[in-house]
Amino acid sequence: MINKIKFKVICMAVAGLSLTACEDKLDIEPRGSISPEAVTPSDTEVLLNGVYDGFQGGASSYQYLAFLTDDLSADNLAYRATFFQHGEVDDNAIAANNLLIQFYWQGLYQGIYRANFFLQTVEPLDESTFSRPERKQEVIAEARFLRAYGYYNLVTRWGGVPILREPTSDKVARNSEEEVWNFIIEDLTFAVENAGEFRSAAYASKAAAKALLARVYLATKNYAEAERLAEELIADSNFQLSDNYDNIFTNKGNAEHIFQLNSTPNDGTSMSYFLIANVVLPSTGQQTNGGRFELPIDNSLAAAFEAGDERKNTTLQPITFGGRDYNMAYKYRQSADGADAWPVARIAEMYLISAEARAEQNDLEGALERLNQVREMRGLEATDAASLAELRLKIEQERRVELAVEGHRWYDLIRTGRAIEVLPNVTDENQLKYPIPQAEIVVNDLLEPNPGY
């Protein structure tokens, strides 16, 4: 399924155990190794770090696509220059041989492979030999959460994909989209029941599993469960809406964060490198730590903010670059440093999930309550809606400006049936799914391409 992935030993141990690094992040043949039979409970924390690393970018040089394709496929980011593959994503005309989409697919499956190898290695260990007997189930739950997160990214881009429950290099056919969603729910339900309590947004926890499961239930139209889980998190004293939107993205410890993928200058995501220009900001007079500025903010997003919305100056900054005026994405500012954290789940999203779930259960008053709590915290007046249809559009708008450049907009428009109506270059249902990479079909003749490719 993934070309030349042969994890005879666990490549993710490289980062944690200081073994010889894998020479190529796509064709993985590790030269340094740790035998699965030699793993002890004391090794599991280090190995688990390798699973996290896989999903934050360690599995692929282009894993930043996991963070940016959603907003680029939608109307939050635009293509400016250089890599025509980005242009295909922006135009919603992706070729099956698009290398960046291929690397995205492979990076996600390599992260899933790391999770599966970890699970296969840890599950036989005696729980009594861990630091705490319950720690065995906790680390298994963290790995299953990360695997579910990987499959969430796959199913929302490609639809039905092969489900792998164990590490294998065998050819595997695609499962149905419904089967993938059910697999995600299975993993996340286990994580809700078995993961540890929240200690930091850098680690998967019961709260993180609830947040992702609430999102999944919203996508699969189980509105009662989506509301229940979102409301449990809203009531959790570990999390609260921030009265300083900018601080959410400049402070990894901000109480809005339920789960995030952290990066350091040594393992930066490269994601912000493609967003930030090397310019003096007109608003502050300060020089940015710029990269190649491949993907500016789409003009329609810049126009979507209401007057007085405190989120706008954090989300974007007007700049002049190469003699032209642009709006530059500004939530992630480390750029060449690469130390930004990617917010996977925030408490503001839970308010908006609760609002949408309540609306779909005809509790318009309760929906407006949660929607307006977010608006008022961002410097806006409360809004009202005379009908469910009007309220749906207001929630859609609020999700767009609150969660911009956080990987939600594209699938929001798909799951609500609004993509063709909103996006001018999406005119065909087939465009709502990415092409299965041609390179994967070549090595796995069991893979069926998506319609239209």
Side-chain angles (χ1 to χ4, degrees), residues 359-377:
E360 296 301 329
Q361 296 173 93
N362 295 312
D363 179 9
L364 272 60
E365 182 178 347
L368 280 166
E369 176 190 14
R370 288 303 186 213
L371 177 66
N372 284 324
Q373 285 172 321
V374 176
R375 287 177 56 82
E376 290 167 3
M377 194 62 75

Side-chain angles (χ1 to χ4, degrees), residues 334-411:
Q334 300 303 318
S335 192
D337 187 321
D340 294 290
W342 177 256
V344 174
R346 293 197 284 116
I347 195 63
E349 184 198 354
M350 298 303 108
Y351 277 80
L352 296 176
I353 285 177
S354 181
E356 186 173 340
R358 287 177 172 184
E360 296 301 329
Q361 296 173 93
N362 295 312
D363 179 9
L364 272 60
E365 182 178 347
L368 280 166
E369 176 190 14
R370 288 303 186 213
L371 177 66
N372 284 324
Q373 285 172 321
V374 176
R375 287 177 56 82
E376 290 167 3
M377 194 62 75
R378 307 311 186 212
L380 299 175
E381 294 182 356
T383 190
D384 205 350
S387 66
L388 175 58
E390 183 181 354
L391 183 52
R392 282 171 172 164
L393 293 179
K394 287 181 179 288
I395 293 170
E396 177 187 298
Q397 155 69 12
E398 203 63 30
R399 285 183 63 89
R400 185 184 188 187
V401 294
E402 174 67 35
L403 304 171
V405 201
E406 296 181 46
H408 296 269
R409 175 69 170 169
W410 170 243
Y411 192 66

